[in-house]
Amino acid sequence: MLCSFSSSLVSSPLPCDNVNINNKKIINNHQMVFLRCAYPSSRTAPSSSSQKQQRHWKQGQYPGITEISRPKRAPIKNLKKKLDRKSDAKAWANTVTEALSDSIQKKQWSQALEVFEMLKQQPFYHPKEGTYMKLLVLLGRCGQPQHAHHLFDEMVEAGLEPTAQLYTALLAAYCRNNLIDHAFSTLNQMKILPGCQPDVFTYSTLLKACVDASRFELVETLYQEMDDRLISPNTVTQNVVLSGYGKAGMYDEMEKVLSSMLESTTCKPDVWTMNIILSVFGNKGQIDLMERWYEKFRSFGVEPETRTFNILIGAYGKKRMYDKMSSVMEYMRKVQFPWTTSTFNNVIEAFADAGDAKNMELTFNQMRTEDMRADTKTFCCLINGYANAGMFHKVISCVQLAGKFEIPENTSFYNSVISACAKADDLMEMERVYKRMKDVQCQPDSRTFSIMVEAYRKEGMNDKIYYLELEKQEMIANGSAKE
């Protein structure tokens, strides 16, 4: 419409007389043309001098003028295909992104890395800091510090600026796997980068690694460094150190930290402090001290939570004090504290340690009836319980059920299966499970080697022990096994 009206307004000589063509008389269109031009388009027409134009009439016909530079439009069907392709690509990206999130949630680190690699190859996908953070945390928790290191370097090479949070996640991956020297090296890198200075969370993570590894000589050094940097320890920091001292049986140091918290105005004891103290005495089997501290914290105004009751249940279960264990569970129902997976795990573990397969199975069935999701610890306890009861045929079905439920197979899971094989004197199956453990890159720890060495020693297989010790030292040197 626009081009039609604009071309009609271009000045050109019009015939004033009638013209004979093939002996036929044609009526003069002079007036009709000017009537049509009297109502131009309300839109602004482009200048005729700026357009490339061409005459396209034949001899004796009406002399119109048109443009030839108008771009061709794509056919509608081609546009539809293009939109469909974009829609399909977007749907694919959403599906794969959901798969990545699902793998992270299920702690399937190998699958998560594969999906992430697929996403990075797509031109429309740009990884963000949050994605790298989740993957680094996942790799650290799954015992894959080398993969975490590789992912961090890959992120820097891709041009994403590291932050203090990302460095702390990498440091935590080293700390979780007892690579203290690597963690301190990461801390030193942070201190020379202006935008990546360590904070209280960085030091809390490193302090936990030091106390867990019984490197208590480094604790005061880190406290001094925090003081020099004007970083005040918070309740989380103090709880970390308190827990480390408690697990090591350093009760005098633990009491000093607790006393400083009671006197402090900035980091008062909280329910986590309460849980740590109860766990220390509960795990040591010192039930009287555990109950006494429970009453003390209540007098301080600290209220218990679900985890507090789970700690009490676990402690009573280990001492086979089933009446008190049941009383705590009934009290939880009374005050409307929900039973959790940990609650059931503690009860299952209590029966598993006693080799009471019947009550263990009843508890597990009740757990499933209440739609409570089982986790890796649940199946570790079940496997240990069947092995203690001498029901090795049920160990196999239990492992198969864990696969059906997509339970993450971590170091503790493989240790339980290896231990069951050792108790059954099936060393060939034990070695097969150990090989699979290494094939799926699940990191062995000191308990793994301890179980296997004891099984070989029982059979007098000293050559096997020798080669296993060599393999252990090689893995520790390469950072692929815990000391």
Side-chain angles (χ1 to χ4, degrees):
M1 292 284 292
L2 179 61
C3 294
S4 175
F5 278 106
S6 63
S7 62
S8 300
L9 290 173
V10 178
S11 59
S12 60
L14 297 176
C16 296
D17 302 322
N18 296 339
V19 180
N20 284 325
I21 300 177
N22 298 329
N23 297 323
K24 291 184 180 180
K25 189 174 183 180
I26 305 300
I27 299 176
N28 190 334
N29 292 325
H30 183 277
Q31 296 179 351
M32 294 178 64
V33 170
F34 275 97
L35 284 173
R36 184 155 58 94
C37 296
Y39 303 97
S41 172
S42 59
R43 290 182 254 182
T44 304
S47 173
S48 60
S49 61
S50 64
Q51 299 184 13
K52 186 177 180 181
Q53 299 171 340
Q54 178 183 3
R55 298 177 183 272
H56 64 92
W57 68 90
K58 295 181 180 180
Q59 181 67 29
Q61 291 183 340
Y62 175 74
I65 299 175
T66 185
E67 60 186 13
I68 64 170
S69 60
R70 183 191 305 176
K72 294 182 179 180
R73 294 183 179 178
I76 293 178
K77 64 178 183 178
N78 291 343
L79 288 175
K80 186 178 183 303
K81 287 181 180 179
K82 187 175 181 181
L83 292 174
D84 288 343
R85 284 197 300 269
K86 287 184 177 180
S87 179
D88 292 341
K90 186 176 180 181
W92 182 87
N94 291 338
T95 302
V96 179
T97 305
E98 290 172 2
L100 175 61
S101 178
D102 187 58
S103 298
I104 293 174
Q105 186 176 4
K106 293 180 179 179
K107 298 181 180 179
Q108 298 172 339
W109 66 269
S110 180
Q111 183 175 338
L113 289 181
E114 289 178 5
V115 175
F116 185 58
E117 192 64 31
M118 290 172 57
L119 278 171
K120 287 192 302 179
Q121 294 174 1
Q122 306 306 313
F124 53 80
Y125 183 77
H126 301 286
K128 298 181 180 179
E129 176 186 338
T131 307
Y132 281 105
M133 175 69 73
K134 292 177 182 178
L135 287 171
L136 287 171
V137 172
L138 172 67
L139 292 171
R141 288 178 176 175
C142 293
Q144 303 297 322
Q146 297 300 324
H147 284 285
H149 176 77
H150 177 73
L151 182 68
F152 189 88
D153 289 345
E154 184 181 274
M155 177 195 71
V156 175
E157 290 175 2
L160 189 64
E161 289 292 332
T163 62
Q165 290 75 21
L166 287 168
Y167 264 111
T168 301
L170 177 62
L171 181 143
Y174 291 134
C175 289
R176 281 180 176 273
N177 296 276
N178 201 28
L179 299 174
I180 307 297
D181 294 337
H182 288 75
F184 270 95
S185 177
T186 303
L187 177 68
N188 293 332
Q189 290 179 21
M190 295 178 68
K191 288 189 289 187
I192 62 176
L193 297 174
C196 300
Q197 294 298 299
D199 54 17
V200 66
F201 300 105
T202 310
Y203 283 104
S204 297
T205 303
L206 198 51
L207 280 167
K208 185 178 187 306
C210 290
V211 295
D212 287 347
S214 299
R215 300 282 297 275
F216 298 105
E217 72 280 2
L218 298 174
V219 173
E220 289 301 324
T221 302
L222 289 172
Y223 268 133
Q224 184 61 48
E225 189 172 313
M226 290 175 67
D227 187 57
D228 294 341
R229 289 177 168 270
L230 303 178
I231 300 175
S232 301
N234 55 23
T235 302
V236 174
T237 313
Q238 299 294 66
N239 284 343
V240 164
V241 178
L242 190 68
S243 176
Y245 284 144
K247 289 178 181 178
M250 302 171 67
Y251 300 127
D252 291 340
E253 288 78 2
M254 184 179 70
E255 187 176 351
K256 290 179 183 178
V257 175
L258 186 57
S259 298
S260 67
M261 294 178 72
L262 292 171
E263 296 172 0
S264 174
T265 57
T266 58
C267 56
K268 289 285 186 181
D270 58 7
V271 68
W272 287 95
T273 314
M274 179 184 189
N275 291 341
I276 289 168
I277 298 297
L278 296 183
S279 294
V280 168
F281 293 116
N283 292 332
K284 298 288 185 181
Q286 299 176 354
I287 303 300
D288 291 340
L289 280 174
M290 181 187 73
E291 292 177 341
R292 198 179 307 161
W293 273 104
Y294 175 79
E295 296 299 332
K296 281 185 179 181
F297 277 105
R298 292 296 300 274
S299 66
F300 294 153
V302 180
E303 293 296 326
E305 60 177 7
T306 301
R307 186 170 182 269
T308 311
F309 294 120
N310 287 339
I311 291 169
L312 296 175
I313 291 170
Y316 290 137
K318 288 178 181 178
K319 299 295 288 186
R320 302 188 184 181
M321 302 171 68
Y322 300 133
D323 291 340
K324 286 194 172 185
M325 184 175 71
S326 299
S327 298
V328 175
M329 296 180 72
E330 290 174 3
Y331 181 75
M332 290 177 69
R333 293 286 202 197
K334 182 179 178 180
V335 296
Q336 298 183 345
F337 277 86
W339 291 355
T340 63
T341 299
S342 295
T343 309
F344 284 103
N345 284 348
N346 288 332
V347 178
I348 291 173
E349 186 176 21
F351 292 129
D353 290 342
D356 188 348
K358 180 180 178 181
N359 283 314
M360 181 184 72
E361 288 179 339
L362 288 173
T363 307
F364 180 63
N365 290 336
Q366 183 179 355
M367 181 181 187
R368 297 182 65 183
T369 301
E370 297 193 14
D371 293 328
M372 194 64 59
R373 181 176 176 82
D375 59 10
T376 303
K377 183 179 179 180
T378 311
F379 281 90
C380 287
C381 294
L382 291 172
I383 292 169
N384 292 334
Y386 286 130
N388 291 336
M391 304 170 67
F392 301 109
H393 63 284
K394 287 202 171 185
V395 171
I396 299 174
S397 60
C398 190
V399 172
Q400 292 173 343
L401 185 61
K404 181 180 179 182
F405 287 172
E406 298 182 350
I407 300 298
E409 298 177 350
N410 59 14
T411 302
S412 297
F413 182 86
Y414 279 103
N415 285 348
S416 297
V417 180
I418 289 173
S419 177
C421 295
K423 289 176 182 178
D425 296 327
D426 191 345
L427 301 190
M428 289 185 63
E429 184 66 14
M430 180 186 75
E431 291 174 348
R432 190 190 68 82
V433 174
Y434 177 61
K435 182 179 183 302
R436 171 170 169 76
M437 181 182 187
K438 293 186 294 182
D439 289 342
V440 298
Q441 298 181 2
C442 185
Q443 186 179 24
D445 61 5
S446 58
R447 174 166 165 74
T448 312
F449 295 109
S450 176
I451 294 169
M452 297 183 69
V453 166
E454 185 61 31
Y456 288 138
R457 183 175 289 117
K458 183 179 177 181
E459 298 295 328
M461 304 172 70
N462 295 326
D463 56 334
K464 291 277 189 178
I465 296 175
Y466 174 76
Y467 288 115
L468 188 63
E469 288 291 343
L470 289 179
E471 185 177 359
K472 176 185 175 181
Q473 295 302 322
E474 184 180 353
M475 285 185 175
I476 293 175
N478 294 333
S480 58
K482 299 179 183 179
E483 294 184 13

